[in-house]
Each structure stands twice: as C-alpha cells, then as structure tokens.
Amino acid sequence: MLLSIDRCKNIPLIRQVYNEISGKILDGSLPAGEKLPSSRELAKAIHVSRNVVLEAYDLLMVEGFVFSKKGSVTYVAEGAFLKREYWEQPVSSPIHSVHKKEMIHFRSGIPDLRHFPRKIWARLSQAVWTEISDHTLGYGSPEGAEELRRELVSYLLKTRGVKCSKEQIVITSGATQALTIVGRMLLREDDPVVLEDPITDDIQQIFKNAGGNLYPVSVDEEGLDTSLLPENVIPAFTFVTPSHQFPLGGTLSIQRRIELLQFARKTNSYVVEDDYDSEFRYDGPPLSTLQRLDPHRVIYIGSFSKILSPALRIGYIILPSNLVEKCRSVKWFSDLHTPAPEQLVLARFLAAGHMDRYVSKMKKVYRQRRDLIINKLKEAFPADIQISGHSTGLHFIADFPFATFSENDLLQMEEDGVKLYSVEQHAITRGIHKGKLVIGYGHLNNEEIQQGIRCLKNAIDRLM
C-alpha cells in the first residue's frame, strides 16, 4: 500500500496517514475485505513511528472505515466505497467581487475606513473585555444588549427625532438582517409590497425571497410619488428611504409623508423606513424621521455600517409595540442574538459623545470630497451633466443626458480604470434612467477622485 507522506506539510502525520487510507477506501482502491498492513509493517514502510499508524487506524475504526478481528488484523469495512462525481461547471464569482487595486471604484455607501477611530475603539474594547461579566459571555437575549438599546433611545431622539423606548428596539447584524427579519415577520407568499422604483437590487431580492410580490412606485426629486400609490392593493408594508432616497437622492416632502401614512392607515399596513446614511447631511442638521410622525405605523431601520464600518455588523429595528415579541422570536430563530461585546463597545462610544464628534468631523471630510468631485465633473463635462441628490449621504447622481449606459458599457469602462453603477441597474421598471450614474465618493481620497474623473472622462469620450 503506497502512501504519500510529506513531513514539510502543515498537516499532522496522523491526519496524513488517515487521509491517504480513507481516500483509497472511498475511491475503491482498497476494496471491502482487504487486509491492511500491521501497524508495525506500515510504520516501517513509510518511516513514521508506530504510534502514528496506531492512532490513524483507531480513527479509521471509530469512523467505520475499517474493523479488526483475529487479534490485531485490520480489514476494510463494507459500505465505505463512494463513487466520485465529477462536476465540470466552474465556481461562480461572488456577488460583490473584489475590484482591482488600480481601479477607481465609485461604489456608494462605503465610509472612509482610514478615519475609523481605532485608538478610541481599542481602548473601549479593552475596557469592555476586562469588565465583561460571565453572564454576558453566555447566550444573550434576541433583542440585544440593554446598554446599547438604552443609549440608542437618547441618541436617536437627539439626532433624528425618533420616539421609542428601549423595549421597542431589536439589535440586528446590520441592516440586511433587519430587512430580512421584517420580510419574515410580515410577508406570506405573494403578499404585496409597495416600494420605491428605483431601489437597490439587494432590497428587491430580500423581499422577493420572503415571498413578496413587488409593486414599484416611481420616484422623483421629492422621493416616492404618493399620487401613484396603488388604489386596489393592500400591501403588507410600503418600503421607503425618505431622508435620502436610494439611489436618486431625493427627500420625501412632509406632504408626501403624510399622504403615505394616510395610505398605510387606510390599508391597515405598515411603512418600513430605511434610514441608511442621513447622518451626513451637509446643508444643515439631519432631517427628522418618518417614524416621528407615527411610531405605531412605522418600522424604522438603521445601522452603523455607513457611519463607522460595515465590519461591525450592528444595526437595529425600532418597532411598534405590537410587533416587538414577533420580531424577537424571528431574530432568535435567525441567529439567537448579535454578538454582545461589540454592542457594549458601541454603547460606550455613544455614551461618551464620541459618535457626535466623529460624525461632525466626517461631515467636513465628506463635504470637501463631494464639492471636489462635483467641480471636477463639471470641468470634465461642462454644461453636459446634471447633479442631484448631493445634499446628504455618501453618493449622488450624475445625469448624462447625451448618453445611455448599458451593462456592456459599464464593463468597458473598467478597461479605462473606473468602476461605476448605473441607476438602471437598480430600476424595476427599466428604460427611464439610462443616462444616470451613481457616484459614490466616501471612501475615495482627493487624488483618487481626480484620477477617477479623468478615467471617467476618457471612458465616456471613447464610448461616445
């Protein structure tokens, strides 16, 4: 029996012997009933200690590959042969592929992680881990750490006008899980869901996967056009991004907010408010939320991915009181609870006022970058482009009336060193936004911005 043992591999010799023999049994090279060499013989043949072979044989016996009889004689067991199936299809690329380092990627919604407050976070984290109780290290409650929920109540009331108690908050692993939980809570197969059009494809897929039947409503500069809300549809909920519509960037006016809430009351349904990046408003303080107008009808979702870092995976849902227990149940059967230590660090970060100072600092950084990129776009395309949705957040829309951007065009742009996304890629009803590009800039420094606009200019000139 020939075995390939390599002492340079970072794999224990016992595991190598086991892998070699079990592989031969599985592929039929060692058929059922075949007698294996004694441990002494095999150890001598492959130049390992007898204990290595004995432990490998023991592992094979425990898993049923071999059995022993007549003292120490070892045989291959019946039923351990598995014919191998060969799959020729290639492994598909991940949904969000990693872009080339040399490419300027105008992706929206990514903060500048170079400014993440590492020293403060490390100090608070060390304090949390030093003081953390045994109870906190065990299984927690699905709604999340009380310390964080308590801090969120005061922080969101102060900054966004949100009205709630800590009992109405459920901490989630980011906004994506929050949206998934909402879908599982409220949707049955083919239940109608009213949502903005365009809206990110991820959100469309989350609600489709939960069984929702999507009813798109067009968006303009004032957000969701409430005059187009369906008259004969009773939705499970209406999904909106009222403070900074994604991707077009409009703000839902107070008149439309009221009309939307009246629609929800009339249909006895809910409104799901995704408040994904409105802390960064550059022409004044952040706008008040839709939830403030009707806390009993609005489900409010937020996260810290675009404020601090996507890696934290901390989001939250604020629910009407009658949905709290159902949400806790869905969260529990989703992942039990969001990890507690990072929640406690974030709670201390909020309590000490670090978040307020960090947001104030980053607003200045992002405003300067926004102004730079808009100026460079206007220099590159004088009188030819229209900018909108730039008062808030980490992206805006550049509309090129003279152009259309197909999927193939966007791929060709990558050859010029620039990665972009079109509004059409997020549209449910296609053909309306062909010349509009989503320009994300939060993660780009000044040099990258200028290089990116030069690449974009070259790419569009070539396409035209």
Side-chain angles (χ1 to χ4, degrees), residues 335-454:
D335 64 354
L336 301 185
H337 59 85
T338 298
E342 291 300 314
Q343 294 184 57
L344 298 179
V345 176
L346 179 57
R348 296 189 182 199
F349 191 81
L350 291 168
H354 295 305
M355 182 68 80
D356 296 329
R357 291 186 287 274
Y358 180 74
V359 169
S360 177
K361 167 191 167 184
M362 294 311 298
K363 279 174 69 173
K364 296 174 183 176
V365 172
Y366 295 142
R367 183 190 293 114
Q368 185 272 332
R369 291 179 184 175
R370 178 202 64 173
D371 293 344
L372 173 64
I373 195 169
I374 289 176
N375 289 336
K376 292 300 177 182
L377 276 169
K378 289 181 176 179
E379 288 177 11
F381 305 96
D384 284 336
I385 90 171
Q386 299 169 6
I387 304 296
S388 62
H390 54 288
S391 65
T392 303
L394 304 179
H395 80 277
F396 59 82
I397 299 302
D399 186 0
F400 298 80
F402 57 87
T404 61
F405 299 108
S406 67
E407 296 279 352
N408 189 54
D409 292 335
L410 296 173
L411 288 174
Q412 287 186 38
M413 286 183 176
E414 294 184 29
E415 299 299 319
D416 289 290
V418 62
K419 175 73 173 176
L420 288 136
Y421 301 91
S422 69
V423 173
E424 275 292 291
Q425 290 174 300
H426 300 290
I428 302 172
T429 304
R430 296 297 179 101
I432 301 174
H433 307 284
K434 290 183 177 180
K436 296 176 183 176
L437 295 176
V438 181
I439 308 293
Y441 57 87
H443 58 296
L444 301 175
N445 61 34
N446 291 352
E447 182 181 341
E448 291 167 330
I449 285 172
Q450 296 182 69
Q451 180 185 343
I453 297 304
R454 287 194 296 269

Side-chain angles (χ1 to χ4, degrees), residues 5 11-20 22 52 56 59 63:
I5 303 300
I11 299 175
L13 293 176
I14 295 166
R15 178 59 62 176
Q16 290 191 50
V17 174
Y18 162 84
N19 288 343
E20 287 285 311
S22 63
V52 168
L59 185 56
E63 295 189 10

Side-chain angles (χ1 to χ4, degrees), residues 194-207:
V194 174
L195 75 173
E196 301 165 330
D197 185 15
I199 195 68
T200 173
D201 184 65
D202 287 349
I203 289 172
Q204 297 176 44
Q205 294 306 317
I206 287 170
F207 295 149

Side-chain angles (χ1 to χ4, degrees), residues 173-299:
S173 299
T176 298
Q177 188 189 44
L179 292 165
T180 303
I181 288 173
V182 167
R184 289 177 59 187
M185 270 201 313
L186 300 182
L187 288 174
R188 296 170 298 179
E189 193 64 33
D190 270 346
D191 274 354
V193 176
V194 174
L195 75 173
E196 301 165 330
D197 185 15
I199 195 68
T200 173
D201 184 65
D202 287 349
I203 289 172
Q204 297 176 44
Q205 294 306 317
I206 287 170
F207 295 149
K208 283 181 181 178
N209 291 341
N213 188 6
L214 306 187
Y215 282 77
V217 175
S218 295
V219 169
D220 60 22
E221 65 277 0
E222 292 185 42
L224 183 84
D225 188 346
T226 49
S227 68
L228 301 177
L229 287 168
E231 295 183 2
N232 300 316
V233 172
I234 299 179
F237 57 86
T238 300
F239 176 85
V240 288
T241 51
S243 294
H244 187 224
Q245 199 279 329
F246 186 89
L248 294 183
T251 299
L252 195 64
S253 65
I254 184 60
Q255 291 78 13
R256 290 190 180 182
R257 292 180 185 224
I258 290 172
E259 289 173 1
L260 176 58
L261 291 172
Q262 288 175 337
F263 172 77
R265 292 176 181 180
K266 177 183 175 182
T267 56
N268 193 28
S269 62
Y270 293 97
V271 176
V272 177
E273 177 180 10
D274 185 1
D275 197 22
Y276 65 96
D277 71 354
S278 51
E279 285 83 1
F280 299 121
R281 184 167 181 265
Y282 307 116
D283 304 320
L287 302 175
S288 294
T289 63
L290 186 63
Q291 190 269 359
R292 180 182 71 92
L293 298 177
D294 195 341
H296 305 292
R297 190 66 62 177
V298 177
I299 300 169

